[in-house]
Amino acid sequence: MSRARRLTVLGAATALAGSLMAVPAAAGSAAPARPAPAAQDSATTATPGKTPIAVGYGGAVSSVDADASAAGIAVLKQGGNAVDAAVATAAALGVTEPYSAGIGGGGYFVSYDARTRTVRTLDGRETAPRSAGRDLFLENGTPIPFADAVTSGLGVGTPGTPATWDTALRAWGSRSLGQVLRPATKLAADGFTVDQTFRQQTADNEARFKDFPATAGLFLPGGELPAVGSTMKNPDLARTYTELARKGVGALYDGALGRDIVRTVQKPPVRSGATRNVRPGKLTAGDLRAYRALGHAPTRTRYRGLDVYGIAPSSSGGTSVAEALNILERSDVSRLSEKQYLHRYLEASRIAFADRGRWVGDPSQEDVPAKALTSQRFADSRACLIRDDKALTSPLAPGDPRHPRRCAGGGKGVPTTYEGENTTHLTVADKWGNVVAYTLTIEQTGGSGIVVPHRGFLLNNELTDFSFAPADPAVSDPNLPGPGKRPRSSISPTIVLRHGRPVVALGSPGGATIITTVLQTLVNHLDRGMPLVDAIAAPRASQRNAATTELEPGLWNSPVRRQLEAIGHAFKQNPEIGAATGVQRLPDGRWLAAAEKVRRGGGSAMVVRPS
């Protein structure tokens, strides 16, 4: 994920049902969450260098990028609320983090309303074309190569990000889409400074970017990799944002912008002479018109007297984090040795992933027992599998959350399927106490690799998050493609409350490692007593019902690895897992924003008025 640097309608909203499935946390009142609109200053000021922690008043923003965090802070300073600032930050990430996010993708939005003390969510996940069947990625009965599916029109789902922005702003914001897009529009026009990470990510994609003239023209200026220190401008994206500001998201879901997307998906604009087999996709204008960002009740579980809220299916993040926390609830993690704590954390993750793979898919087409998966009763029936002297063996068989039996499996275990790791997360709070945790993505680094000509953004490859075929024909797979279906995600934006008031909110990119990153960070902070910025920075381990657990170097090179190997854990090294951001409400009323110290170039934490 690149690091930047200096600053140089459709009916998505009409589908609202009340407050979009808000879940009350407690009775109470707070200052207004929706201040009267005021003129937004379209100008932005030079941003400071990155810092992983900031403390102060008036609100906070934490993201992977200084320009994006500054865009959110600018909106807060002008009187916008957390929802307004979250959309402004996300739009700026579409400029500076174009290989991770943008209007060609989707995501999940979790919001806390301080006035009503409720948590609301939006599922802005991309959808498969309505013509898609279980054979979407099969040719002659055999799955096509994964890389071929990624760089194709076939892997492109209906974008959900613009509908998410519009729906959130109409329901809970205080500014118009046009107002909050102004900082990002200026950033796209003026440009940002290229750093080594952005250059390296471009180099990693150079071969496939060269096969698409629109992509090469934007990201390979003059046919060369962008130079570190040069200014990367995106005038096409600035014009696209201006069109969305003027016409609304109907321009994408029922207008000229949408027609350009459909044309690009159905007839990928490949350069003459390219040998790459770029399969066309099935997305239609009707698919775009039918799209809605969905309001669902969040997942909720109690942990150490706190209420932990997450995103419900189609993402598996909320259910999996909740189940693992429930498994750990019976252990006094704060008193365990590092070996004991890591062992139980890894086993809780292994179990949660076994159950995720069997039960979680798009609830509009699959029978997903979300409440049962997040119940303490089910967690207790699974926790008894954990032994302190011996690691479990993967793939572990799932349990049956509807009929939990102590230590019993519910069938044959299957491996966890692959998910791309390039996504981005932002966390925002405002002076009224509202909080947003929002994770958005285009899937792989660089998504499909296909820029919509003259529009300035990459299309997603989110449909490759589906299972191409069952891992085992004898085991039911809820994540096979289907018409209009949303592929399962691991995105896990999380908000933790105590007595209805915010304690901490966080999230991370990283594909399936998102779940383990959020889980481990929560346990580090809530149980192990680490300050939030240190809980984020601590070395990570990720067990996803696989034969081996991934370890970052800090754990790979530590004595605890050998201690865990002695009881049966097997490891492989991963140089970097996730890139979290979070905000914390301090007892004196200040906000603390925290981001990565090193991962992916470090993050950017900012507050409105530092103290």
Side-chain angles (χ1 to χ4, degrees):
M1 206 168 276
S2 65
R3 303 284 60 95
R5 358 323 154 179
R6 76 182 160 80
L7 228 115
T8 9
V9 173
L10 186 74
T14 66
L16 299 178
S19 62
L20 286 169
M21 302 301 292
V23 171
S29 60
R34 293 172 59 94
Q40 166 111 9
D41 184 2
S42 63
T44 52
T45 57
T47 60
K50 287 185 178 182
T51 177
I53 186 169
V55 180
Y57 299 96
V61 180
S62 185
S63 81
V64 297
D65 181 79
D67 291 331
S69 294
I73 289 292
V75 169
L76 293 176
K77 285 183 175 179
Q78 291 294 322
N81 66 19
V83 172
D84 305 322
V87 175
T89 304
L93 288 168
V95 179
T96 62
E97 303 288 315
Y99 305 151
S100 305
I103 59 173
Y108 297 89
F109 194 102
V110 178
S111 173
Y112 167 80
D113 179 7
R115 183 178 61 81
T116 60
R117 299 191 190 181
T118 56
V119 176
R120 309 83 55 98
T121 76
L122 283 174
D123 179 335
R125 184 65 157 162
E126 300 86 342
T127 56
R130 291 174 296 174
S131 62
R134 291 195 168 201
D135 61 350
L136 180 65
F137 293 110
L138 302 182
E139 290 181 357
N140 300 318
T142 302
I144 66 175
F146 185 79
D148 287 6
V150 168
T151 308
S152 74
L154 200 61
V156 179
T158 305
T161 290
T164 302
W165 294 354
D166 188 62
T167 306
L169 290 169
R170 289 177 182 270
W172 312 314
S174 68
R175 300 290 185 267
S176 69
L177 180 63
Q179 287 174 309
V180 300
L181 285 178
R182 287 174 187 165
T185 303
K186 178 173 172 54
L187 182 60
D190 292 349
F192 62 89
T193 303
V194 172
D195 68 358
Q196 181 57 44
T197 306
F198 187 88
R199 178 183 167 88
Q200 183 59 54
Q201 288 192 329
T202 309
D204 293 342
N205 283 282
E206 185 176 10
R208 66 182 188 135
F209 281 5
K210 283 183 174 180
D211 282 344
F212 303 98
T215 310
L218 177 58
F219 297 121
L220 298 168
E224 302 292 335
L225 293 173
V228 173
S230 65
T231 298
M232 174 66 69
K233 297 182 179 182
N234 192 340
D236 285 345
L237 183 58
R239 286 189 289 271
T240 297
Y241 278 170
T242 299
E243 183 173 348
L244 287 173
R246 187 174 69 252
K247 298 180 180 179
V249 298
L252 189 147
Y253 293 104
D254 194 20
L257 177 55
R259 290 192 291 273
D260 288 347
I261 290 173
V262 169
R263 185 182 307 112
T264 303
V265 171
Q266 293 184 354
K267 296 182 179 180
V270 184
R271 70 173 173 84
S272 176
T275 59
R276 187 184 303 273
N277 180 11
V278 182
R279 292 167 174 83
K282 300 179 179 182
L283 188 72
T284 68
D287 294 319
L288 292 179
R289 286 194 297 270
Y291 187 84
R292 300 293 185 271
L294 303 177
H296 293 306
T299 61
R300 177 184 177 184
T301 194
R302 293 278 290 176
Y303 186 68
R304 315 293 189 208
L306 304 172
D307 291 302
V308 181
Y309 292 87
I311 190 73
S314 57
S315 181
S316 63
T319 56
S320 299
V321 170
E323 181 182 352
L325 287 174
N326 288 339
I327 290 171
L328 293 171
E329 177 79 32
R330 305 304 189 195
S331 302
D332 188 352
V333 179
S334 65
R335 295 178 179 272
L336 298 179
S337 68
E338 186 180 20
K339 172 202 164 185
Q340 292 170 325
Y341 143 62
L342 285 171
H343 170 63
R344 293 192 192 181
Y345 152 69
L346 294 175
E347 299 294 68
S349 299
R350 189 193 310 269
I351 294 168
F353 268 88
D355 298 328
R356 160 197 187 266
R358 169 61 184 86
W359 298 105
V360 181
D362 182 347
S364 72
Q365 299 187 30
E366 304 289 341
D367 186 8
V368 183
K371 288 187 177 180
L373 282 168
T374 59
S375 71
Q376 191 63 52
R377 179 182 175 217
F378 179 56
D380 290 345
S381 77
R382 301 291 277 158
C384 63
L385 293 169
I386 299 174
R387 293 174 47 181
D388 285 338
D389 62 344
K390 185 178 181 181
L392 293 165
T393 301
S394 289
L396 184 71
D400 186 345
R402 293 190 179 94
H403 306 287
R405 291 188 299 122
R406 182 174 175 80
C407 302
K412 185 177 181 181
V414 296
T416 297
T417 53
Y418 174 76
E419 291 178 39
E421 296 186 358
N422 210 29
T423 297
T424 193
H425 179 81
L426 61 96
T427 322
V428 179
D430 65 27
K431 63 184 178 182
W432 296 281
N434 304 302
V435 179
V436 172
Y438 180 27
T439 313
L440 60 160
T441 180
I442 60 171
E443 181 58 5
Q444 297 286 115
T445 305
S448 65
I450 306 171
V451 165
V452 180
H454 312 297
R455 293 298 190 172
F457 63 90
L458 285 155
L459 292 171
N460 70 81
N461 66 287
E462 294 293 350
L463 300 188
T464 62
D465 271 353
F466 283 122
S467 304
F468 287 18
D472 186 325
V475 180
S476 177
D477 188 338
N479 191 42
L480 293 170
K485 192 174 183 180
R486 299 175 188 229
R488 181 173 61 209
S489 172
S490 296
I491 286 175
S492 310
T494 302
I495 296 178
V496 180
L497 308 181
R498 178 184 286 112
H499 306 308
R501 298 186 182 277
V503 174
V504 66
L506 74 157
S508 176
T513 69
I514 293 172
I515 292 169
T516 59
T517 294
V518 169
L519 174 64
Q520 189 174 5
T521 304
L522 284 172
V523 174
N524 282 342
H525 181 58
L526 300 176
D527 286 306
R528 307 292 284 180
M530 293 184 187
L532 182 58
V533 70
D534 294 333
I536 288 172
R540 294 184 183 133
S542 182
Q543 167 52 239
R544 306 188 298 281
N545 197 24
T548 56
T549 295
E550 295 176 12
L551 289 186
E552 287 188 326
L555 289 172
W556 178 266
N557 297 320
S558 73
V560 75
R561 172 168 69 93
R562 290 181 289 277
Q563 295 169 12
L564 291 167
E565 286 172 338
I567 59 172
H569 287 279
F571 299 106
K572 62 180 178 180
Q573 192 169 181
N574 184 333
E576 189 174 272
I577 299 173
T581 76
V583 298
Q584 178 186 2
R585 187 69 153 178
L586 299 178
D588 61 6
R590 292 180 298 165
W591 287 109
L592 181 150
E596 295 288 353
K597 295 180 178 180
V598 176
R599 293 183 186 94
R600 302 197 184 187
S604 174
M606 295 184 183
V607 293
V608 173
R609 296 194 308 277
S611 63

